[in-house]
Amino acid sequence: MGTKNPGRATGTVTQQLIEAHLLSGRMEPGEEIALRVDQTLTQDATGTLVMQELEALGLDRVRTEVSVQYVDHNILQTDERNAEDHTFLRSAARRFGVWYSKPGNGVSHPTHMQHFGIPGKTLAGSDSHTCAGGSLGMLALGTGGLEVALAMAGRPLHVTMPHIWGIRLVGELPPWVSAKDVILEMLRRHGVRGGVHRVLEYHGPGLASLTAMDRHVIANMGAELGATARSSRRTTRCTASCTPSDAATTSPNFSPAPERSTT
């Protein structure tokens, strides 16, 4: 399913991303819509159930463009339980054609941004901070494990069409002020439920001075606002700082996804 308007794209970045991945429903706030999912992200605290759900679905290989299993939450080896989970996740990743990021490789969200993130793609993750992917101009949504498992099986992701907030950034961050202060100011103004059923879309000349990691910090903590997703309108600077999605093929810290069956 491609973009429904073959001509010049119109609307906000969020609207364009939703329209390009819309499978059913109307793009009216409050309406249920179904989206095609390009990428998925799971972590070890939630991934074990996701993999079991894939087994229950009888799936042979994931149907997404990219699915990655990260081990970044329960890495303390005080007994055998975490280690057994990691062994299971690694074997399941090989079984279903999923990239595996081993313990110590890094926190899932910045690691995914650096190795797999692609502007314009959709990302569904079984972690609330999946929205950090919005820093690259992705439509990145944190959701439940069952929803992610269904997305990995090629099923649509059903969500409520959100309201879109435009947040205009101007100027530059002064000394001793970081990108985290931007999102903390948003929290001060709107509270922990101010972003519920909303996508926060940052734009304006102030973006030009923010690095990709600055944007990642802002997008990541949108979860604390309760927002559905966060996005940044792309600029040359942001796009140029993104690592191509095939970079993981040269990294010793990833176990590559097995070749997927073509039958």
Side-chain angles (χ1 to χ4, degrees):
M1 304 294 289
T3 304
K4 293 184 168 44
N5 290 332
R8 185 176 179 180
T10 59
T12 70
V13 169
T14 303
Q15 289 170 333
Q16 292 173 34
L17 289 171
I18 291 175
E19 184 177 25
H21 294 84
L22 187 66
L23 297 177
S24 66
R26 297 187 307 123
M27 290 176 54
E28 296 289 337
E31 294 283 334
E32 182 177 295
I33 58 175
L35 300 173
R36 185 183 77 253
V37 175
D38 300 319
Q39 300 184 1
T40 66
L41 173 159
T42 49
Q43 39 93 336
D44 47 310
T46 58
T48 49
L49 286 177
V50 171
M51 296 301 181
Q52 291 176 45
E53 285 157 353
L54 294 183
E55 288 184 313
L57 289 170
L59 193 69
D60 54 350
R61 287 290 191 271
V62 294
R63 303 287 192 261
T64 50
E65 295 176 9
V66 172
S67 286
V68 189
Q69 170 65 55
Y70 293 92
V71 176
D72 65 349
H73 278 59
N74 300 327
I75 61 175
L76 189 64
Q77 306 293 330
T78 57
D79 56 29
E80 78 288 350
R81 288 177 294 181
N82 286 341
E84 289 179 352
D85 279 351
H86 302 165
T87 300
F88 167 73
L89 288 171
R90 184 163 193 157
S91 66
R94 292 186 63 83
R95 165 68 178 83
F96 296 114
V98 176
W99 285 91
Y100 177 82
S101 180
K102 66 182 183 180
N105 191 31
V107 176
S108 57
H109 311 299
T111 304
H112 196 91
M113 181 185 79
Q114 293 163 358
H115 290 276
F116 296 100
I118 302 176
K121 297 293 186 177
T122 51
L123 170 65
S126 57
D127 187 281
S128 61
H129 291 101
T130 301
C131 52
S135 59
L136 295 184
M138 302 178 74
L139 183 64
L141 308 169
T143 186
L146 178 58
E147 286 78 12
V148 172
L150 290 172
M152 293 170 76
R155 309 282 182 85
L157 177 64
H158 293 266
V159 298
T160 300
M161 178 65 191
H163 294 269
I164 301 170
W165 271 5
I167 301 163
R168 179 176 171 82
L169 301 179
V170 298
E172 296 183 0
L173 296 176
W176 300 100
V177 175
S178 71
K180 190 171 185 178
D181 292 301
V182 175
I183 188 62
L184 288 176
E185 175 61 18
M186 289 292 295
L187 279 162
R188 185 188 70 81
R189 295 186 185 189
H190 302 291
V192 296
R193 292 189 56 81
V196 174
H197 298 311
R198 293 180 172 88
V199 171
L200 310 182
E201 185 168 313
Y202 295 86
H203 64 100
L207 278 179
S209 63
L210 297 180
T211 67
M213 190 50 66
D214 286 337
R215 300 171 189 219
H216 176 90
V217 169
I218 294 171
N220 181 68
M221 285 192 61
E224 276 63 50
L225 275 165
T228 300
R230 269 61 53 195
S231 66
S232 296
R233 296 187 184 177
R234 290 178 289 148
T235 66
T236 302
R237 178 167 181 167
C238 180
T239 304
S241 67
C242 303
T243 304
S245 62
D246 60 358
T249 61
T250 62
S251 172
N253 295 318
F254 287 89
S255 295
E259 292 294 327
R260 298 181 185 178
S261 172
T262 57
T263 59

